[in-house]
Amino acid sequence: MTSHPDLRPAARDVSALLEQIGDKHLDAPTPCPDYTVAHLIGHIAGLCAAFRDAARKDFGPTTDTDPGASLPELPAAWREQLPVLLTEVAEAWNAPGAWEGETRAGGISLPADAAGRFALNELLVHGWDLARATGLDHHPDESGAEVVLALLTAVGAASGDGSGPFGRPVPVPDSAPALDRLVGLTGRDPGWTPPR
């Protein structure tokens, strides 16, 4: 039996960050170009719905829409909706059959096993984005980052030029923490701080 990562710790970490985000943070820049914290929260809401439905093989607008097609909007009731969506996506990937067969996310068909790992990547990296943008403490479980590192390293190696689905990686020492190395593979500088 293949062991699959548990998305619940990463989902709880993001939910805990969101509880600390105030209205004063919403216009702050993030490590994601063109995204404010409000845009990033909107993106997290969309990705949670998309990957929840990908785990359930419930295909439709949530799984078939390119997340980069438009700038995400902050849901009006995000403080109530996001904790629910984060729980739902984590529990969906904990359900029997979620990791089996093929699925879709972001308009792309892919093995469910890879989709679940990409979902974990989204939670870990966007949790890091939120923490950096707001100055909040964030210390996710390193084991989740190690799982996603293996996936993105393999994808980068297969590309021939080291780039992955998130573009050109930022070099990070092998001795750096797993989350820093993961962030680097997604094209982010682990030392990023908000512009003054």
Side-chain angles (χ1 to χ4, degrees):
M1 180 188 237
T2 304
S3 176
H4 301 294
D6 186 350
L7 276 65
R8 291 174 293 184
R12 285 192 296 266
D13 287 340
V14 175
S15 192
L17 280 172
L18 290 167
E19 287 176 6
Q20 301 174 69
I21 291 176
D23 291 345
K24 66 180 181 181
H25 295 118
L26 296 178
D27 291 329
T30 73
C32 304
D34 304 323
Y35 274 22
T36 63
V37 168
H39 294 132
L40 183 55
I41 293 170
H43 177 67
I44 293 169
L47 75 86
C48 283
F51 280 107
R52 173 201 64 203
D53 294 345
R56 296 173 178 172
K57 319 295 192 293
D58 183 11
F59 307 130
T62 59
T63 59
D64 295 346
T65 302
D66 176 354
S70 61
L71 206 56
E73 294 184 15
L74 182 70
W78 67 271
R79 292 184 190 283
E80 294 76 34
Q81 291 175 355
L82 259 293
V84 173
L85 284 168
L86 285 158
T87 298
E88 288 177 349
V89 70
E91 292 301 334
W93 285 102
N94 202 41
W99 297 85
E100 298 170 6
E102 293 280 315
T103 192
R104 280 202 311 272
I108 298 169
S109 295
L110 71 167
D113 186 77
R117 293 168 198 275
F118 278 119
L120 177 57
N121 172 74
E122 294 287 318
L123 293 173
L124 289 169
V125 172
H126 290 317
W128 180 89
D129 289 331
L130 277 176
R132 282 305 172 110
T134 59
L136 296 169
D137 281 339
H138 180 55
H139 305 286
D141 179 16
E142 287 281 306
S143 64
E146 292 283 3
V147 167
V148 183
L149 265 173
L151 172 70
L152 295 190
T153 301
V155 170
S159 73
D161 65 359
S163 65
F166 307 102
R168 179 77 55 198
V170 171
V172 178
D174 291 341
S175 59
L179 185 60
D180 285 358
R181 288 180 281 134
L182 174 59
V183 164
L185 281 179
T186 64
R188 293 158 168 81
D189 177 357
W192 186 92
T193 56
R196 298 196 180 275

